[in-house]
Amino acid sequence: GAATNAAITASTLNMTIDNSSITGNSAGGIRATSGTLTITDTTIANNARALAGAGISLDSGTINLIGSTVSSNVSQSLGGGVAIGSGTVNLTNTTISGNETPTNGGAGISGQTANVNAFNSTISGNYAATSGGGIRTGGTITLNNSIVLGNDDEVGLPETSGTLVNTNSIVGDGSVTAADVFASTYALAS
């Protein structure tokens, strides 16, 4: 039969994951009701989940992602990459890319009332059927030296949906991709 638990599942999860790979799970990568999760130098990719959070799902608490990649996860609900109800998601030197929610929103990161803080991080290439291809939350999105660009949705809020505080970051409006911003318009002299 089909798997019913994520690769790592707990009611309360206070855990540090370092230098790991959590990939290819049909019931999600990490799932917990509450706790603090610190993930360093880890890849969470190619997971699927019928409910919220195919990569990481946490109802309440804190998720710290440091030097990690959350990519190509597909949720049939919210948060293809990361779903959190209340609490905080902290990204440092992390990439959230290529995640999907083909029936809902917040493909990269979805939070009900959670705050999302990103430092030197990239959220790009995520797709949501409704709002917030990149980040969707009822809390505050604080970006510092980060890129939220090249995400897509069907309702016109492709990059972020929530209160945005932006410091030295690039936030798209859905009309440009990362390739558009970083492509050179000048030929190099030989």
Side-chain angles (χ1 to χ4, degrees):
T4 57
N5 290 321
I8 299 171
T9 304
S11 178
T12 300
L13 184 63
N14 293 305
M15 178 182 279
T16 298
I17 299 172
D18 187 28
N19 197 27
S20 297
S21 179
I22 301 169
T23 62
N25 298 287
S26 62
I30 301 169
R31 169 72 185 118
T33 304
S34 64
T36 298
L37 183 59
T38 300
I39 301 169
T40 305
D41 299 325
T42 292
T43 298
I44 300 170
N46 300 309
N47 297 292
R49 188 160 193 254
L51 302 173
I56 303 168
S57 176
L58 181 65
D59 292 346
S60 67
T62 302
I63 299 170
N64 301 304
L65 285 159
I66 304 157
S68 294
T69 299
V70 179
S71 67
S72 303
N73 299 288
V74 179
S75 168
Q76 295 303 318
S77 183
L78 300 166
V82 177
I84 183 169
S86 62
T88 305
V89 176
N90 298 306
L91 308 176
T92 304
N93 301 321
T94 290
T95 300
I96 309 287
S97 67
N99 299 289
E100 294 184 35
T101 54
T103 60
N104 216 317
I109 300 171
S110 177
Q112 290 175 353
T113 60
N115 295 317
V116 176
N117 304 307
F119 179 73
N120 287 345
S121 293
T122 300
I123 300 164
S124 183
N126 300 289
Y127 168 77
T130 61
S131 65
I135 305 170
R136 176 176 123 167
T137 186
T140 300
I141 302 165
T142 303
L143 304 175
N144 192 327
N145 296 322
S146 292
I147 299 169
V148 181
L149 184 67
N151 298 289
D152 194 15
D153 76 355
E154 298 296 323
V155 297
L157 297 169
E159 308 297 352
T160 62
S161 175
T163 302
L164 178 64
V165 177
N166 181 351
T167 304
N168 300 321
S169 297
I170 298 171
V171 179
D173 62 4
S175 64
V176 296
T177 67
D180 295 330
V181 172
F182 298 108
S184 173
T185 57
Y186 300 99
L188 296 175
S190 51

